[in-house]
Amino acid sequence: MCWSATADLWAGLGIGAVGVAALASVRRPGDAPLAALPLLLGAHQVVEAAVWHSGGGAGPATLAWAVIALPLLPLWLPIGVLTAARPADRPRLLVPLVAGLVTAGVLAYRLATRPVTAEVRGRTLGYVVDLPYAPLLLVAYLLATVGALLLARDRLLRLLGFLTGVGAVVCALLWTTEFVSTWCALAALASLLLLVWVRGRAGPDPRPIRGSP
């Protein structure tokens, strides 16, 4: 989320371009979900530009924004970290994956049965959806997203988890005070780190190929 429709649009296009570069650098199929994450984040910004232009409300753009932010991200991230990990490291990543599955299921159900609305509040957009046990859902959401990155063996992914956690707190404080929305800056930073990560893994896969001598 950015502070205006124009900022959201340009941020989305830039972040999406980083996603294209990241996907083009993938050499291991398991890295593709995380490499594609900037494309999802870029699309999210472009969708929010449409929310700005519509003046908020409960239209299709608002629902699309909520679907990406709520059920999709807590499922996408733990799956991406899991598929990119070595087999020996995957058991401990099942915890954030289960948290993501449960969180995504609850959030998807609420979006399917309850309206979600957006409201322009100065240089921010506020989204309202009726969620049960909101504090518990927030903890599960953070475990699935930030937790999955912090539990990764890869140092750059752990750094991404740390920066995402700290950045989310800062962005949330600025957002809740309705001062300015800076989530797009966090999305851009995360996307650039993912591009560096995937290019650093562009060498040959050290795992043996079945059937080779």
Side-chain angles (χ1 to χ4, degrees), residues 87-165:
D89 297 331
R90 289 174 181 168
R92 64 179 179 174
L93 296 172
L94 293 177
V95 174
L97 177 61
V98 171
L101 286 168
V102 174
T103 304
V106 173
L107 294 175
Y109 174 76
R110 299 304 285 192
L111 289 180
T113 58
R114 299 288 192 277
V116 55
T117 59
E119 179 184 355
V120 177
R121 301 171 182 171
R123 288 177 291 181
T124 68
L125 279 170
Y127 294 87
V128 179
V129 60
D130 181 24
L131 296 177
Y133 310 108
L136 185 59
L137 278 175
L138 177 59
V139 170
Y141 189 102
L142 292 175
L143 175 59
T145 52
V146 177
L149 293 167
L150 292 176
L151 287 174
R153 181 77 63 179
D154 188 281
R155 289 183 179 179
L156 197 54
L157 290 183
R158 292 203 304 270
L159 174 62
L160 176 59
F162 173 77
L163 293 177
T164 299

Side-chain angles (χ1 to χ4, degrees), residues 2-89:
C2 275
W3 52 89
S4 69
T6 301
D8 259 319
L9 179 60
W10 284 108
L13 293 175
I15 292 169
V18 173
V20 171
L23 273 177
S25 302
V26 168
R27 296 295 179 269
R28 307 179 188 191
D31 294 347
L34 280 182
L37 182 58
L39 280 176
L40 181 65
L41 296 177
H44 202 212
Q45 302 298 147
V46 173
V47 166
E48 188 170 73
V51 177
W52 278 105
H53 278 298
S54 66
T62 299
L63 180 59
W65 183 95
V67 168
I68 295 173
L70 298 180
L72 192 51
L73 277 177
L75 196 57
W76 191 298
L77 259 169
I79 288 176
V81 175
L82 186 71
T83 59
R86 297 178 301 178
D89 297 331

Side-chain angles (χ1 to χ4, degrees), residues 1-3 7 10-19 37-38 41-42 45 160 163-164 171 182-196:
M1 298 182 291
C2 275
W3 52 89
W10 284 108
L13 293 175
I15 292 169
V18 173
L37 182 58
L41 296 177
Q45 302 298 147
L160 176 59
L163 293 177
T164 299
C171 290
T182 53
W183 293 97
C184 55
L186 180 58
L189 174 61
S191 298
L192 289 172
L193 281 175
L194 284 171
L195 177 60
V196 173

